[in-house]
């Protein structure tokens, strides 16, 4: 699966157009590209049983989420946030999410009711830090009764973070 993470911009520079016959902008694209060796990326880091950070940089954070069948979650999006389903299904308000479909939120939150087969998804939002409250598990019984109750964020405990050697502690951990 190839996923392109995009942000708001007033410019689009096309290097290739997949046969659509639109204008290409090769000179402009090369002019704004960062040349040189790519920056070394830290290995993925598990934040919880449901969240794994795949990459974090100054532009965006990308996580993989693995939500258990029948579970209920709160997606909190203070800034632009995308949830892209890879496997399984979920219900977000009146929107049904299936593989290949994405859900966008900004300055809002949504309850996620995970389907019978669970939900594997990608979660993307602006960097340079992880959002520890982006995704929080809720109990199915309290989900509809307490619409704005947020349980503890799903991030490593101080004990787990302290167990990492200083040189191993990623710069995106709180």
């Amino acid at each position: 699966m190839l996923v392109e993470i995009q942000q708001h911009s007033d410019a689009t520079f096309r290097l290739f157009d997949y046969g659509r016959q639109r204008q290409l902008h090769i000179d402009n694209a090369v002019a704004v590209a960062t040349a040189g060796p790519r920056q070394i990326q830290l290995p993925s880091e598990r934040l919880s049983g449901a969240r794994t950070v795949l990459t974090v940089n100054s532009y965006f954070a990308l996580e993989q989420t693995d939500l258990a069948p029948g579970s209920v979650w709160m997606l909190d999006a203070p800034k632009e946030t995308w949830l892209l389903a890879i496997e399984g299904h979920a219900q977000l308000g009146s929107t049904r999410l299936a593989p290949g479909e994405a859900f966008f939120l900004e300055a809002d939150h949504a309850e996620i009711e995970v389907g019978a087969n669970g939900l594997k998804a990608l979660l993307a939002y602006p960097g340079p830090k992880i959002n520890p409250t982006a995704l929080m598990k809720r109990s199915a019984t309290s989900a509809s009764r307490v619409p704005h109750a947020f349980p503890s964020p799903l991030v490593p405990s101080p004990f787990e973070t302290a167990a990492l050697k200083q040189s191993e502690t990623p710069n995106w951990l709180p």
Side-chain angles (χ1 to χ4, degrees):
M1 175 180 290
L2 176 66
V3 177
E4 179 181 357
I5 307 299
Q6 294 185 348
Q7 295 176 306
H8 294 288
S9 173
D10 293 333
T12 297
F13 299 136
R14 271 186 211 92
L15 293 170
F16 189 76
D17 198 32
Y18 304 94
R20 291 181 170 168
Q21 308 303 317
R22 294 183 292 183
Q23 180 181 1
L24 299 182
H25 310 95
I26 295 171
D27 290 338
N28 291 342
V30 170
V32 299
T34 303
R38 114 182 145 86
Q39 193 174 21
I40 295 176
Q41 179 177 317
L42 295 172
S44 60
E45 180 79 23
R46 190 160 268 320
L47 295 177
S48 70
R51 293 175 68 185
T52 301
V53 174
L54 301 176
T55 189
V56 176
N57 58 49
S58 59
Y59 304 106
F60 66 90
L62 181 65
E63 299 181 18
Q64 178 177 316
T65 64
D66 293 294
L67 308 182
S71 60
V72 179
W73 298 80
M74 181 58 68
L75 175 61
D76 183 39
K79 297 182 180 180
E80 58 189 77
T81 301
W82 290 93
L83 183 68
L84 171 68
I86 299 172
E87 296 175 9
H89 294 83
Q91 191 76 28
L92 289 92
S94 61
T95 303
R96 183 163 167 75
L97 191 63
E101 296 176 340
F103 188 81
F104 175 76
L105 276 177
E106 184 173 25
D108 202 354
H109 59 272
E111 186 175 273
I112 302 171
E113 296 178 34
V114 180
N117 294 324
L119 178 69
K120 180 185 273 188
L122 295 177
L123 180 66
Y125 49 86
K129 303 238 182 234
I130 64 161
N131 176 357
T133 62
L135 192 62
M136 295 170 289
K137 189 171 184 178
R138 298 180 59 179
S139 68
T141 56
S142 68
S144 59
R145 292 186 191 140
V146 186
H148 299 292
F150 292 98
S152 301
L154 295 173
V155 295
S157 70
F159 174 78
E160 293 166 322
T161 303
L164 293 171
K165 292 179 186 171
Q166 183 64 28
S167 63
E168 295 175 336
T169 304
N171 64 357
W172 41 262
L173 282 176

